[in-house]
Amino acid sequence: MKFSERARELSKQFWEESHKHPFVTGLADGSLSEESFRYYLIQDGYYLIHFSRLFGEIADRAESNEVKDIMFKNKEDLEAGEIAVREEFFKEKNITDEEFDNTEIAPTADHYIAHMYRQIVESEDYIGVAVAGMLPCPWLYQDIGAELIKHQSPVPIYQSWIDTYVTDEFNNLTERHIELCDKLYDKANDDQKERMLNAFFMSVRFEYLFFDMAYKQEEWIKL
């Protein structure tokens, strides 16, 4: 069984629950509150900055030219695509640089980023572990986008968010990332294969928690 097949089966519950989460369904039917979406944009802005850095870090550490190429291309596309679109969303929602810089990073966003940096540190013997930990974000969003595009959101900015994840460029890069994980998994030993699956599964769980974090506008406990 390929990595992509095993990984999806392992994470099936959290994957499917992400599709059903009220944050996601609220984007499609327009019921998501403006406050939750605005909160999401700020937290996701922080996340995407680090996600881009992570692609670059993996590319720098990789020995394989194929891994380098795909990771660098993902970094470039992220900066030209998602991050650029988010800047337009910031303008529409009047999110200033000052507000962004002064907003505390939520626990879930912070922990998700820390998880992926940890995969880089712990994958010195096999870069495939870090590559696998990065896959759920584009793959799940591609899957959600393909479902939500069947419906027209009554809220224009929510529809713009959905449209971001159904472009040919985004789909092609995601498919290359999936195929790369399958190849790396085939070359891995049993321990490395298990770690690749664990890294993927943990990231899928964090994706679900990220939607939940935004929906509830999560905060740190105040004593």
Side-chain angles (χ1 to χ4, degrees):
M1 187 179 289
K2 295 190 294 186
F3 170 82
S4 53
E5 295 169 339
R6 293 198 65 186
R8 279 290 295 270
E9 183 61 30
L10 178 67
S11 60
K12 182 178 179 179
Q13 181 180 5
F14 285 96
W15 195 280
E16 293 180 350
E17 290 302 318
S18 289
H19 276 266
K20 301 175 186 176
H21 195 283
F23 182 92
V24 174
T25 59
L27 289 168
D29 63 22
S31 63
L32 180 67
S33 73
E34 180 181 354
E35 292 76 18
S36 287
F37 187 67
R38 197 174 188 280
Y39 176 93
Y40 166 85
L41 290 176
I42 294 174
Q43 297 297 330
D44 193 50
Y46 167 79
Y47 171 87
L48 290 176
I49 289 170
H50 286 276
F51 202 57
S52 176
R53 290 175 183 170
L54 283 155
F55 275 132
E57 186 70 22
I58 294 171
D60 288 340
R61 292 174 180 241
E63 297 179 359
S64 162
N65 287 332
E66 183 178 20
V67 175
K68 285 182 178 293
D69 176 63
I70 292 175
M71 294 295 100
F72 270 132
K73 189 68 177 67
N74 282 352
K75 175 180 171 64
E76 292 172 354
D77 185 72
L78 182 66
E79 292 170 352
E82 279 188 84
I83 292 178
V85 170
R86 292 299 192 271
E87 290 175 355
E88 293 301 314
F89 288 171
F90 272 38
K91 291 178 183 177
E92 185 169 340
K93 293 299 181 183
N94 297 314
I95 300 171
T96 65
D97 290 343
E98 182 179 10
E99 180 182 1
F100 179 74
D101 292 340
N102 291 328
T103 298
E104 188 172 28
I105 305 307
T108 295
D110 185 61
H111 294 167
Y112 189 4
I113 291 294
H115 153 68
M116 288 189 289
Y117 275 116
R118 187 170 65 252
Q119 302 318 304
I120 293 179
V121 173
E122 295 180 355
S123 67
E124 291 185 354
D125 66 318
Y126 197 62
I127 201 68
V129 178
V131 176
M134 297 287 283
L135 178 57
C137 180
W139 194 6
L140 178 60
Y141 274 49
Q142 178 197 47
D143 203 40
I144 288 174
E147 177 62 31
L148 298 190
I149 199 65
K150 299 173 184 176
H151 318 281
Q152 184 70 31
S153 177
V155 180
I157 195 171
Y158 295 173
Q159 186 61 43
S160 295
W161 184 95
I162 294 167
D163 292 341
T164 306
Y165 302 106
V166 294
T167 66
D168 289 340
E169 179 73 7
F170 183 80
N171 287 334
N172 290 338
L173 284 172
T174 302
E175 292 303 322
R176 287 189 70 192
H177 196 159
I178 294 169
E179 291 170 4
L180 177 62
C181 282
D182 285 339
K183 290 179 182 179
L184 292 171
Y185 187 75
D186 285 342
K187 298 175 183 178
N189 60 39
D190 288 344
D191 175 66
Q192 292 163 345
K193 287 180 177 180
E194 187 66 23
R195 286 159 53 206
M196 283 182 69
L197 289 169
N198 287 339
F200 181 93
F201 176 61
M202 183 67 76
S203 291
V204 173
R205 290 202 295 182
F206 271 120
E207 285 295 330
Y208 173 84
L209 290 171
F210 203 97
F211 290 133
D212 199 58
M213 169 203 77
Y215 188 73
K216 297 176 180 176
Q217 301 175 56
E218 177 187 81
E219 295 180 350
W220 291 92
I221 295 175
K222 292 181 174 61
L223 300 178

